[in-house]
Short mmCIF file of all heavy atoms in Angstrom, two decimals:
data_model
loop_
_atom_site.label_atom_id
_atom_site.label_comp_id
_atom_site.label_asym_id
_atom_site.label_seq_id
_atom_site.Cartn_x
_atom_site.Cartn_y
_atom_site.Cartn_z
N ASN A 168 23.13 -54.37 -4.39
CA ASN A 168 23.84 -55.35 -3.57
C ASN A 168 25.34 -55.31 -3.83
O ASN A 168 25.78 -55.16 -4.97
CB ASN A 168 23.29 -56.75 -3.86
CG ASN A 168 23.80 -57.79 -2.88
OD1 ASN A 168 24.94 -58.25 -2.97
ND2 ASN A 168 22.95 -58.16 -1.93
N ARG A 169 26.10 -55.45 -2.76
CA ARG A 169 27.56 -55.44 -2.87
C ARG A 169 28.08 -56.51 -3.81
O ARG A 169 29.11 -56.34 -4.48
CB ARG A 169 28.16 -55.66 -1.47
CG ARG A 169 29.67 -55.63 -1.42
CD ARG A 169 30.19 -54.23 -1.52
NE ARG A 169 31.65 -54.18 -1.47
CZ ARG A 169 32.35 -53.08 -1.64
NH1 ARG A 169 31.73 -51.93 -1.86
NH2 ARG A 169 33.67 -53.11 -1.58
N GLY A 170 27.34 -57.61 -3.91
CA GLY A 170 27.76 -58.68 -4.80
C GLY A 170 27.81 -58.28 -6.25
O GLY A 170 28.58 -58.86 -7.04
N GLN A 171 27.03 -57.28 -6.63
CA GLN A 171 27.06 -56.79 -8.01
C GLN A 171 28.40 -56.14 -8.32
O GLN A 171 28.94 -56.29 -9.41
CB GLN A 171 25.91 -55.80 -8.24
CG GLN A 171 24.52 -56.39 -8.05
CD GLN A 171 24.20 -57.41 -9.11
OE1 GLN A 171 24.52 -57.25 -10.28
NE2 GLN A 171 23.55 -58.50 -8.70
N TRP A 172 28.91 -55.37 -7.35
CA TRP A 172 30.24 -54.78 -7.52
C TRP A 172 31.30 -55.88 -7.67
O TRP A 172 32.15 -55.82 -8.58
CB TRP A 172 30.60 -53.91 -6.32
CG TRP A 172 29.83 -52.63 -6.20
CD1 TRP A 172 28.68 -52.42 -5.51
CD2 TRP A 172 30.18 -51.38 -6.80
NE1 TRP A 172 28.28 -51.11 -5.64
CE2 TRP A 172 29.19 -50.45 -6.41
CE3 TRP A 172 31.24 -50.95 -7.60
CZ2 TRP A 172 29.22 -49.12 -6.82
CZ3 TRP A 172 31.28 -49.62 -8.01
CH2 TRP A 172 30.28 -48.72 -7.63
N GLU A 173 31.23 -56.84 -6.79
CA GLU A 173 32.23 -57.91 -6.81
C GLU A 173 32.15 -58.73 -8.09
O GLU A 173 33.18 -59.14 -8.65
CB GLU A 173 32.04 -58.81 -5.59
CG GLU A 173 32.27 -58.08 -4.26
CD GLU A 173 31.88 -58.91 -3.05
OE1 GLU A 173 31.31 -60.02 -3.26
OE2 GLU A 173 32.12 -58.47 -1.92
N ALA A 174 30.93 -58.96 -8.58
CA ALA A 174 30.78 -59.72 -9.83
C ALA A 174 31.38 -58.95 -11.00
O ALA A 174 32.02 -59.55 -11.88
CB ALA A 174 29.28 -60.00 -10.08
N GLY A 175 31.17 -57.64 -11.02
CA GLY A 175 31.74 -56.82 -12.09
C GLY A 175 33.26 -56.83 -12.08
O GLY A 175 33.90 -56.99 -13.13
N ARG A 176 33.83 -56.70 -10.90
CA ARG A 176 35.29 -56.70 -10.80
C ARG A 176 35.85 -58.08 -11.15
O ARG A 176 36.95 -58.18 -11.72
CB ARG A 176 35.73 -56.29 -9.38
CG ARG A 176 35.24 -54.93 -8.94
CD ARG A 176 35.65 -53.82 -9.90
NE ARG A 176 37.09 -53.63 -9.91
CZ ARG A 176 37.74 -52.80 -9.09
NH1 ARG A 176 37.04 -52.09 -8.20
NH2 ARG A 176 39.04 -52.66 -9.17
N ALA A 177 35.08 -59.13 -10.83
CA ALA A 177 35.55 -60.49 -11.12
C ALA A 177 35.61 -60.77 -12.61
O ALA A 177 36.39 -61.62 -13.07
CB ALA A 177 34.64 -61.50 -10.43
N THR A 178 34.80 -60.08 -13.39
CA THR A 178 34.80 -60.27 -14.84
C THR A 178 35.86 -59.43 -15.54
O THR A 178 35.95 -59.44 -16.77
CB THR A 178 33.42 -59.92 -15.43
OG1 THR A 178 33.11 -58.55 -15.12
CG2 THR A 178 32.35 -60.82 -14.87
N GLY A 179 36.65 -58.69 -14.75
CA GLY A 179 37.74 -57.91 -15.34
C GLY A 179 37.42 -56.45 -15.56
O GLY A 179 38.26 -55.71 -16.10
N LEU A 180 36.24 -56.00 -15.15
CA LEU A 180 35.89 -54.59 -15.29
C LEU A 180 36.56 -53.78 -14.20
O LEU A 180 36.70 -54.24 -13.06
CB LEU A 180 34.37 -54.40 -15.21
CG LEU A 180 33.52 -55.11 -16.27
CD1 LEU A 180 32.04 -54.85 -16.01
CD2 LEU A 180 33.90 -54.65 -17.68
N ASN A 181 36.98 -52.55 -14.54
CA ASN A 181 37.53 -51.68 -13.51
C ASN A 181 36.39 -51.00 -12.74
O ASN A 181 35.21 -51.25 -13.02
CB ASN A 181 38.49 -50.64 -14.11
CG ASN A 181 37.81 -49.75 -15.15
OD1 ASN A 181 36.62 -49.46 -15.05
ND2 ASN A 181 38.57 -49.34 -16.15
N PHE A 182 36.74 -50.15 -11.78
CA PHE A 182 35.73 -49.54 -10.92
C PHE A 182 34.72 -48.73 -11.73
O PHE A 182 33.51 -48.87 -11.55
CB PHE A 182 36.40 -48.63 -9.89
CG PHE A 182 35.43 -47.87 -9.03
CD1 PHE A 182 34.87 -48.45 -7.90
CD2 PHE A 182 35.07 -46.57 -9.35
CE1 PHE A 182 33.96 -47.76 -7.10
CE2 PHE A 182 34.16 -45.86 -8.57
CZ PHE A 182 33.60 -46.46 -7.44
N PHE A 183 35.22 -47.89 -12.63
CA PHE A 183 34.33 -47.02 -13.41
C PHE A 183 33.42 -47.84 -14.32
O PHE A 183 32.22 -47.55 -14.44
CB PHE A 183 35.14 -46.03 -14.24
CG PHE A 183 34.30 -45.06 -15.02
CD1 PHE A 183 33.64 -44.02 -14.39
CD2 PHE A 183 34.16 -45.20 -16.39
CE1 PHE A 183 32.86 -43.13 -15.11
CE2 PHE A 183 33.39 -44.33 -17.12
CZ PHE A 183 32.74 -43.28 -16.48
N GLN A 184 33.95 -48.84 -14.97
CA GLN A 184 33.15 -49.69 -15.86
C GLN A 184 32.08 -50.44 -15.08
O GLN A 184 30.94 -50.58 -15.54
CB GLN A 184 34.06 -50.68 -16.59
CG GLN A 184 34.97 -50.03 -17.63
CD GLN A 184 35.98 -51.00 -18.20
OE1 GLN A 184 36.44 -51.91 -17.50
NE2 GLN A 184 36.35 -50.80 -19.46
N THR A 185 32.43 -50.94 -13.90
CA THR A 185 31.45 -51.62 -13.05
C THR A 185 30.34 -50.67 -12.63
O THR A 185 29.16 -51.02 -12.65
CB THR A 185 32.13 -52.21 -11.81
OG1 THR A 185 33.18 -53.10 -12.21
CG2 THR A 185 31.13 -52.98 -10.96
N LEU A 186 30.73 -49.45 -12.27
CA LEU A 186 29.77 -48.45 -11.84
C LEU A 186 28.79 -48.10 -12.96
O LEU A 186 27.56 -48.09 -12.76
CB LEU A 186 30.50 -47.19 -11.38
CG LEU A 186 29.64 -45.97 -11.03
CD1 LEU A 186 28.73 -46.27 -9.86
CD2 LEU A 186 30.53 -44.77 -10.73
N VAL A 187 29.31 -47.84 -14.14
CA VAL A 187 28.48 -47.36 -15.25
C VAL A 187 27.65 -48.47 -15.88
O VAL A 187 26.46 -48.28 -16.18
CB VAL A 187 29.37 -46.68 -16.31
CG1 VAL A 187 28.55 -46.36 -17.57
CG2 VAL A 187 30.00 -45.42 -15.75
N HIS A 188 28.23 -49.64 -16.07
CA HIS A 188 27.56 -50.70 -16.83
C HIS A 188 26.75 -51.68 -15.98
O HIS A 188 25.82 -52.31 -16.50
CB HIS A 188 28.59 -51.49 -17.65
CG HIS A 188 29.30 -50.66 -18.68
ND1 HIS A 188 28.66 -50.13 -19.77
CD2 HIS A 188 30.60 -50.27 -18.77
CE1 HIS A 188 29.52 -49.44 -20.51
NE2 HIS A 188 30.70 -49.50 -19.92
N ILE A 189 27.06 -51.79 -14.70
CA ILE A 189 26.37 -52.78 -13.86
C ILE A 189 25.57 -52.13 -12.74
O ILE A 189 24.37 -52.36 -12.59
CB ILE A 189 27.38 -53.79 -13.26
CG1 ILE A 189 28.04 -54.59 -14.39
CG2 ILE A 189 26.69 -54.72 -12.27
CD1 ILE A 189 29.07 -55.60 -13.91
N VAL A 190 26.23 -51.28 -11.96
CA VAL A 190 25.58 -50.72 -10.77
C VAL A 190 24.62 -49.60 -11.12
O VAL A 190 23.49 -49.56 -10.62
CB VAL A 190 26.65 -50.24 -9.77
CG1 VAL A 190 25.99 -49.57 -8.57
CG2 VAL A 190 27.51 -51.40 -9.32
N LEU A 191 25.06 -48.66 -11.97
CA LEU A 191 24.23 -47.49 -12.27
C LEU A 191 22.87 -47.84 -12.87
O LEU A 191 21.85 -47.28 -12.44
CB LEU A 191 24.99 -46.53 -13.19
CG LEU A 191 24.27 -45.21 -13.50
CD1 LEU A 191 24.03 -44.42 -12.23
CD2 LEU A 191 25.08 -44.39 -14.50
N PRO A 192 22.78 -48.73 -13.87
CA PRO A 192 21.44 -49.06 -14.40
C PRO A 192 20.48 -49.58 -13.33
O PRO A 192 19.30 -49.24 -13.34
CB PRO A 192 21.75 -50.14 -15.45
CG PRO A 192 23.15 -49.87 -15.87
CD PRO A 192 23.85 -49.41 -14.63
N GLN A 193 20.99 -50.38 -12.41
CA GLN A 193 20.13 -50.89 -11.34
C GLN A 193 19.78 -49.78 -10.35
O GLN A 193 18.64 -49.70 -9.86
CB GLN A 193 20.84 -52.03 -10.60
CG GLN A 193 21.15 -53.23 -11.50
CD GLN A 193 21.88 -54.32 -10.75
OE1 GLN A 193 21.36 -54.92 -9.82
NE2 GLN A 193 23.13 -54.60 -11.14
N GLY A 194 20.75 -48.92 -10.06
CA GLY A 194 20.49 -47.81 -9.15
C GLY A 194 19.48 -46.83 -9.70
O GLY A 194 18.60 -46.35 -8.96
N VAL A 195 19.57 -46.53 -10.98
CA VAL A 195 18.62 -45.62 -11.61
C VAL A 195 17.22 -46.21 -11.57
O VAL A 195 16.23 -45.52 -11.29
CB VAL A 195 19.04 -45.32 -13.06
CG1 VAL A 195 17.93 -44.59 -13.81
CG2 VAL A 195 20.32 -44.49 -13.07
N ARG A 196 17.12 -47.51 -11.83
CA ARG A 196 15.83 -48.18 -11.80
C ARG A 196 15.18 -48.07 -10.41
O ARG A 196 13.98 -47.82 -10.30
CB ARG A 196 16.03 -49.65 -12.19
CG ARG A 196 14.73 -50.41 -12.46
CD ARG A 196 15.06 -51.78 -13.01
NE ARG A 196 15.75 -51.68 -14.27
CZ ARG A 196 16.83 -52.36 -14.60
NH1 ARG A 196 17.38 -53.19 -13.74
NH2 ARG A 196 17.39 -52.22 -15.79
N LEU A 197 15.98 -48.20 -9.38
CA LEU A 197 15.46 -48.08 -8.02
C LEU A 197 15.09 -46.63 -7.68
O LEU A 197 14.21 -46.39 -6.85
CB LEU A 197 16.50 -48.59 -7.01
CG LEU A 197 16.84 -50.08 -7.07
CD1 LEU A 197 18.04 -50.40 -6.19
CD2 LEU A 197 15.63 -50.91 -6.65
N ALA A 198 15.75 -45.68 -8.32
CA ALA A 198 15.55 -44.27 -7.99
C ALA A 198 14.37 -43.63 -8.73
O ALA A 198 13.92 -42.54 -8.33
CB ALA A 198 16.83 -43.48 -8.30
N VAL A 199 13.89 -44.28 -9.78
CA VAL A 199 12.89 -43.65 -10.65
C VAL A 199 11.64 -43.16 -9.91
O VAL A 199 11.22 -42.02 -10.12
CB VAL A 199 12.51 -44.61 -11.80
CG1 VAL A 199 11.19 -44.22 -12.44
CG2 VAL A 199 13.61 -44.60 -12.85
N PRO A 200 10.98 -43.95 -9.05
CA PRO A 200 9.75 -43.46 -8.42
C PRO A 200 9.94 -42.18 -7.63
O PRO A 200 9.16 -41.22 -7.78
CB PRO A 200 9.33 -44.63 -7.51
CG PRO A 200 9.94 -45.83 -8.13
CD PRO A 200 11.26 -45.36 -8.68
N LEU A 201 10.98 -42.13 -6.79
CA LEU A 201 11.24 -40.92 -6.01
C LEU A 201 11.63 -39.76 -6.91
O LEU A 201 11.22 -38.61 -6.68
CB LEU A 201 12.35 -41.18 -5.00
CG LEU A 201 11.99 -42.02 -3.77
CD1 LEU A 201 13.24 -42.29 -2.94
CD2 LEU A 201 10.93 -41.32 -2.93
#
Side-chain angles (χ1 to χ4, degrees):
N168 190 283
R169 182 75 180 175
Q171 298 293 320
W172 289 93
E173 297 171 354
R176 302 304 294 270
T178 59
L180 299 178
N181 59 32
F182 175 84
F183 183 74
Q184 290 172 328
T185 303
L186 174 63
V187 172
H188 297 294
I189 296 179
V190 176
L191 184 61
Q193 298 179 65
V195 169
R196 191 172 297 134
L197 294 171
V199 162
L201 286 175

